[in-house]
Amino acid sequence: MDFKDILFLIVVFISNVIQSITGFAGTVLAMPFSIMLEGYSVAKPILNVLGIVVSIGVISINRKALNKKQFFKMIAIMLIGMAGGMAFSYFFHISAKLLYRALGIIVIGFMFLGCYHSFSKSYKEKEKTEKTSFWSYLVLILAGIVHGMFVCGGPLLVVYASENIKKRDEFRVTVSAVWAVLNSIILFSDIRAGYFNQKLLVLLGVSVAVLFLALFLGSVILKHINKKWFMIITYVLMGISGVSLLLK
């Protein structure tokens, strides 16, 4: 295990502490730095598996809270976009530089979208009076495309789910169930692509241990902080990671 691997584990740790506090953004924060440290073929499979582990943990705690109607709707629509994203990554060779630029733009877009979604009073007032089903479905398809390519469509799914699932437990369990299914599909695709060699498996094993430590620490911190301010810090870090990719 070299210095880059250690830095990667630090990224996994910090991003999942944030994930356990905010309920999202772990992979979005981790992916840019992870790709720069380990490369796409290592970062994507490992972060995808970590996403599955986290999702299964959330589901196992309160599986009865699953909103089956929204679950099947999200799965069906996102699969359309995800198939397109995975096919594009498979059939078209994307240079590392272009990959960095694309992900950087997406992450910065998530930052602005998340800030608007979380803190805009006009958005919240609009949310109470309007139902924009067409745009909701479009958001899900885009979430699928981004998830198929970079395993970080979470912020877009959160935008949709927060408008259509109001109960906190239903929200967490249903979104986690969606990730468990979609990430499992990506896992099989990564296995077929031959990403899982011995070095990756060793790094994955250590990453899972780091993940559990991060989730435990995050749960402790959550009891003693103002979540709103932590959300602001999260979006600032998201913006920094996006800009760093554009400058790479």
Side-chain angles (χ1 to χ4, degrees):
M1 187 171 291
D2 57 24
F3 185 62
K4 283 188 176 181
D5 294 336
I6 295 172
L7 289 178
F8 171 74
L9 293 173
I10 292 172
V11 169
V12 168
F13 178 77
I14 294 173
S15 61
N16 280 286
V17 168
I18 293 172
Q19 168 79 27
S20 66
I21 294 171
T22 63
F24 80 105
T27 307
V28 177
L29 285 172
M31 185 63 76
F33 297 115
S34 298
I35 287 180
M36 287 188 284
L37 289 168
E38 299 287 354
Y40 182 79
S41 62
V42 173
K44 177 176 171 280
I46 291 180
L47 294 180
N48 181 63
V49 172
L50 296 183
I52 294 174
V53 173
V54 172
S55 297
I56 291 175
V58 173
I59 297 166
S60 64
I61 294 172
N62 192 10
R63 61 181 181 275
K64 292 182 179 179
L66 178 68
N67 185 322
K68 293 180 180 178
K69 180 180 178 181
Q70 287 295 336
F71 168 72
F72 287 113
K73 182 185 290 187
M74 288 188 282
I75 287 290
I77 296 173
M78 284 189 67
L79 276 174
I80 298 172
M82 201 170 84
M86 292 174 68
F88 186 84
S89 297
Y90 183 80
F91 290 109
F92 296 94
H93 176 72
I94 307 174
S95 68
K97 188 174 182 179
L98 183 59
L99 190 72
Y100 292 148
R101 299 293 186 273
L103 184 55
I105 292 170
I106 289 170
V107 171
I108 291 172
F110 282 160
M111 178 196 69
F112 286 113
L113 180 64
C115 289
Y116 177 65
H117 182 256
S118 299
F119 305 117
S120 171
K121 292 182 179 180
S122 62
Y123 176 84
K124 292 177 180 178
E125 291 173 358
K126 177 183 176 183
E127 184 183 33
K128 294 177 182 178
T129 58
E130 294 185 15
K131 290 293 181 181
T132 54
S133 59
F134 170 78
W135 292 109
S136 294
Y137 294 144
L138 181 60
V139 164
L140 281 181
I141 291 175
L142 289 174
I145 293 172
V146 174
H147 201 68
M149 293 182 68
F150 300 110
V151 203
C152 56
L156 286 172
L157 179 61
V158 166
V159 169
Y160 172 87
S162 62
E163 292 179 6
N164 292 277
I165 305 175
K166 301 303 179 182
K167 294 181 180 179
R168 181 180 176 181
D169 288 343
E170 279 191 16
F171 177 92
R172 285 180 62 85
V173 173
T174 304
V175 169
S176 295
V178 170
W179 292 140
V181 172
L182 298 185
N183 285 20
S184 294
I185 294 172
I186 294 175
L187 173 60
F188 288 119
S189 175
D190 289 343
I191 292 173
R192 289 186 61 189
Y195 290 151
F196 287 87
N197 54 38
Q198 184 177 355
K199 182 181 183 299
L200 187 145
L201 289 172
V202 170
L203 188 57
L204 173 60
V206 180
S207 297
V208 171
V210 170
L211 168 69
F212 285 124
L213 179 61
L215 294 178
F216 171 75
L217 180 61
S219 66
V220 173
I221 294 174
L222 181 59
K223 299 175 183 178
H224 301 93
I225 66 162
N226 183 314
K227 186 174 178 180
K228 181 178 179 180
W229 280 106
F230 207 88
M231 291 287 283
I232 293 173
I233 294 171
T234 300
Y235 289 127
V236 170
L237 290 174
M238 199 179 292
I240 292 171
S241 67
V243 171
S244 69
L245 279 173
L246 293 179
L247 298 177
K248 175 69 175 177

